[in-house]
Amino acid sequence: MTMIDETQVKETSATHGAYLTLRDMILTGELPAGQKLKIEQLRGLLNTGASPVREALSLLTSDMLVERIDQRGFRAAPASKANFAEILALRCTLEDLALRQSIANATPDWEEQLVLTHHHMKKASGQGTKLFEEAHKTFHMALLANSESPMLERFCAQLYDLNIRYRYLAAKSATYQKRDVSAEHEEILDAAIQRDQDRASASLLNHYRLTGDYLSRALDI
Amino acid sequence: MTMIDETQVKETSATHGAYLTLRDMILTGELPAGQKLKIEQLRGLLNTGASPVREALSLLTSDMLVERIDQRGFRAAPASKANFAEILALRCTLEDLALRQSIANATPDWEEQLVLTHHHMKKASGQGTKLFEEAHKTFHMALLANSESPMLERFCAQLYDLNIRYRYLAAKSATYQKRDVSAEHEEILDAAIQRDQDRASASLLNHYRLTGDYLSRALDI
DNA sequence: TCCTCCCAAAATATCGATATTTATTGACAT
DNA sequence: ATGTCAATAAATATCGATATTTTGGGAGGA
């Protein structure tokens, strides 16, 4: 049980705050997959009322991180190898599409964002830290951000987050990753800037599949 | 302003009821795209408390039928030609994939469901009625139901519903559809049962694109 | 021993009231 | 006229209390 930092400034609504905290707790596995999420318990954890908690949980349903059973409460979405495989396969299809569209619509502005977010990611590469996680996601989303298909991007972002959860799950069984991830990122970035759809997509998918293979071996669920 | 039928039996929670009603009202356009959804107003409409209404709206956010603006309430998701085009394109990609996977995993049981749901749809073919709508969706979802990829099916179902909304939008400008839709359905069904992925997918996509072309001409938004 | 039915305990769902925030209006100065 | 600011009105967000539903556990009978 983690205590919430009392000093955290109330910048947004209680619902939004609860949403962010719960989301993080589920992604990191602090709230384990499949666990019953009791309102009263979370109410204490987040020190807020029942309404914001319920609403946050309803929202997390959109992200497929929480399941709602009518009249019977909520629980953290279950995890399984099959689910992980499905996420990987869908990501490959959808990000392939989004990346190709982004490249097709390439603009100088987009390219600059790529270079910038990639740079930030490199600087934050104290691998494993929250900061790097954040920057990594930002870079990957920047690759897709020019697809001119907001729903597609939303699906990709959802799947990205779902995948993160499995990364945390695999991390528990502590095998260490010695692949040269940063070379893979360079390769994707370079291909995207060259506007080479095939090469960009191939290296992106390769990046995901390598991680996927690694994770799926590390998972014991 | 429509009054809700008082005799409707309370089979589920207030939240779920509100969810179904609101969803229907948005799909049919009774709550127009982009409209502000005030809690108090809906509370009266559904005669229930504010909590179920808020929760239902949060849930509808998952379906991309409602947008939530923190601290500033909810509104029905806006509609546009660009959004319609995006939905069509995504449906074509995702249903293509799901249909192919379903066929690849074909089982007698699945085939039987196809035949059955197709039969029900034909019987309900008082085109335009709520009953036909329901049966039509059931048939199309049955086509994808064997993909063994629940998330993919969920995305497809979401997109299907979003598309329906545009059907209602187009219906207002009252051009009438004289295409032989039922022949198209037969064609899809037949190809699926023959386990011919290419032909099934081609006829499904043709079906969607024809409807898409028709709708996008009829829309004046 | 194994069911089934019923009762208490726990948890969820819902309500009504209140606190907070955002939107609106009109007066005042420029 | 026009833009800013304060006061008011409206709407949202949140709380605490209550009603409803589900769950778990035992007593009694087969």
Side-chain angles (χ1 to χ4, degrees), chain A residues 106-206:
Chain A
T107 62
D109 212 66
W110 172 65
E111 275 182 27
E112 286 165 25
Q113 280 303 310
L114 288 190
V115 175
L116 270 179
T117 54
H118 179 260
H119 173 68
H120 292 152
M121 182 177 65
K122 270 176 85 169
K123 268 182 62 178
S125 67
Q127 189 103 1
T129 68
K130 270 259 140 73
L131 225 68
F132 176 76
E133 277 295 0
E134 196 49 53
H136 186 255
K137 177 172 179 181
T138 306
F139 171 64
H140 274 283
M141 291 307 117
L143 283 166
L144 316 177
N146 207 41
S147 72
E148 295 187 18
S149 183
M151 298 177 123
L152 180 56
E153 287 170 36
R154 175 176 155 149
F155 287 149
C156 290
Q158 271 183 33
L159 290 167
Y160 184 97
D161 284 343
L162 288 171
N163 188 62
I164 284 189
R165 197 163 64 128
Y166 283 96
R167 212 151 62 223
Y168 280 101
L169 271 171
K172 282 187 182 169
S173 51
T175 324
Y176 229 77
Q177 185 160 351
K178 32 185 161 285
R179 245 168 65 227
D180 188 358
V181 175
S182 82
E184 290 170 29
H185 286 139
E186 308 267 8
E187 166 72 11
I188 301 167
L189 172 66
D190 185 63
I193 288 176
Q194 300 298 323
R195 306 198 181 176
D196 183 339
Q197 294 190 12
D198 293 336
R199 186 160 70 91
S201 171
S203 45
L204 180 65
L205 266 51
N206 177 61

Side-chain angles (χ1 to χ4, degrees), chain A residues 88-103:
Chain A
L88 179 60
L90 277 176
R91 288 179 84 199
C92 287
T93 304
L94 295 186
E95 294 212 16
D96 171 62
L97 183 61
L99 178 59
R100 284 171 185 277
Q101 288 180 196
S102 277
I103 293 176

Side-chain angles (χ1 to χ4, degrees), chain B residues 13-15 48-49 51-52 71-72:
Chain B
S13 59
T15 298
T48 182
S51 318
Q71 224 82 325
R72 204 160 309 182

